[in-house]
Amino acid sequence: MITGASNGLGAEMARQVATQGAHTILTARRTEKLAELSTQIQADYGVISAYYKMDMTNFVEVEEVVQRIGDTKIDVLVNCAGFGIFEEAVTTDFVTVERMFDTNVLGLMRLTQLVLPSMLARKSGHIINIASQAGKIATPKSSAYAATKFAVLGYSNALRMEVSPVGIHVTTVNPGPIATSFFDIADKSGDYLNNVGFLVLKPEKVAAKIVGIMGKPKREINLPFLMNIISRMYQVMPRVIEFFGKGAFEKK
């Protein structure tokens, strides 16, 4: 089951797991794109691909979708739906902040809570939460977005300790910038991806990394390599990294 599957990383993961013979359950707000993807997957790979309209901010709808899925066994849940806005904390519209938390954090938590009981009963399953390098190092103009991803990491780390004893894996994926439509909303200037250049990841590469660890007890995936090194250094000497990284952090 993949949320936010209508395009970008979510859609690419759906295609790649289907090549391995996995059946897919796809959710997103835009059903027209989901329908196209589902049809394509079934035609190209001969697997079952169901899809459901699901707005992660609508917790009643989240519950209804899980009820409609019913007894279908969900081996892997990928919480991929999310969005961000690059704007200074003082000027970020608070309604947007609330919607960001509802989508990136609370919707993720509610869906996970609804899917977990059947995994616990089977004593198997894998929860994969798409977080961000922004959850490791907060930078200017990403206060609300970074806060949501810090929350996802905290939730995932606690959840992992709760469910790993019964054989359920929890993985967080912490990518840097990915060349997807995410930045159509996040970056009003349209310059960010060009500014960060070689750090930009291809969705196909990130999806392949995620699909490759499904069913395995992998704690985290951190991409790209350079950002992972910097985030590790940040844990030890945050002031130094903030001082020397000031120019890079302010490319938004």
Side-chain angles (χ1 to χ4, degrees):
M1 182 176 184
I2 304 172
T3 71
S6 58
N7 59 20
L9 180 60
E12 185 58 35
M13 279 189 287
R15 295 186 191 97
Q16 291 196 25
V17 295
T19 65
Q20 299 186 10
H23 304 306
T24 60
I25 300 171
L26 312 177
T27 73
R29 291 179 302 163
R30 292 174 290 185
T31 53
E32 64 280 0
K33 289 197 171 185
L34 283 180
E36 291 174 10
L37 179 60
S38 180
T39 300
Q40 176 199 10
I41 285 174
Q42 293 185 93
D44 292 350
Y45 308 114
V47 299
I48 298 170
S49 182
Y51 68 92
Y52 299 89
K53 176 186 178 298
M54 189 170 75
D55 182 344
M56 297 297 287
T57 70
N58 185 336
F59 307 140
V60 172
E61 188 171 74
V62 171
E63 294 174 16
E64 289 174 348
V65 168
V66 174
Q67 289 174 357
R68 289 170 63 193
I69 291 170
D71 294 331
T72 300
K73 186 175 73 165
I74 298 173
D75 296 298
V76 181
L77 169 63
V78 185
N79 284 305
C80 187
F83 78 99
I85 297 289
F86 293 163
E87 193 167 349
E88 291 184 354
V90 69
T91 55
T92 304
D93 178 64
F94 198 73
V95 172
T96 300
V97 174
E98 290 181 312
R99 190 160 61 89
M100 210 181 301
F101 269 87
D102 283 348
T103 303
N104 299 2
V105 184
L106 299 181
L108 175 153
M109 293 173 67
R110 185 58 181 138
L111 178 59
T112 301
Q113 190 177 50
L114 292 166
V115 169
L116 263 176
S118 62
M119 290 186 174
L120 290 168
R122 298 193 311 269
K123 295 185 178 180
S124 68
H126 197 166
I127 308 292
I128 301 176
N129 293 330
I130 310 300
S132 171
Q133 286 295 322
K136 298 294 188 80
I137 304 179
T139 56
K141 293 187 178 179
S142 64
S143 58
Y145 178 69
T148 67
K149 295 306 182 179
F150 270 84
V152 169
L153 286 175
Y155 174 73
S156 302
N157 290 339
L159 180 64
R160 183 183 301 108
M161 290 187 280
E162 292 178 10
V163 301
S164 61
V166 298
I168 298 171
H169 309 313
V170 177
T171 301
T172 52
V173 181
N174 305 300
I178 307 174
T180 68
S181 59
F182 171 90
F183 291 98
D184 295 345
I185 297 172
D187 179 28
K188 294 177 181 177
S189 71
D191 298 328
Y192 180 69
L193 289 180
N194 290 330
N195 290 341
V196 295
F198 69 96
L199 293 175
V200 178
L201 298 162
K202 294 184 180 298
E204 296 83 1
K205 176 182 177 181
V206 180
K209 289 279 188 181
I210 297 169
V211 172
I213 59 88
M214 286 182 177
K216 300 175 183 178
K218 181 75 171 177
R219 180 184 180 87
E220 293 185 350
I221 296 174
N222 294 286
L223 298 167
F225 178 77
L226 178 59
M227 292 186 79
N228 182 36
I229 294 298
I230 293 171
S231 70
R232 288 177 180 270
M233 292 171 62
Y234 183 78
Q235 306 306 313
V236 180
M237 45 185 180
R239 286 193 180 189
V240 173
I241 297 301
E242 287 176 3
F243 177 80
F244 286 103
K246 183 177 175 62
F249 293 161
E250 295 182 347
K251 287 185 178 293
K252 298 185 187 71

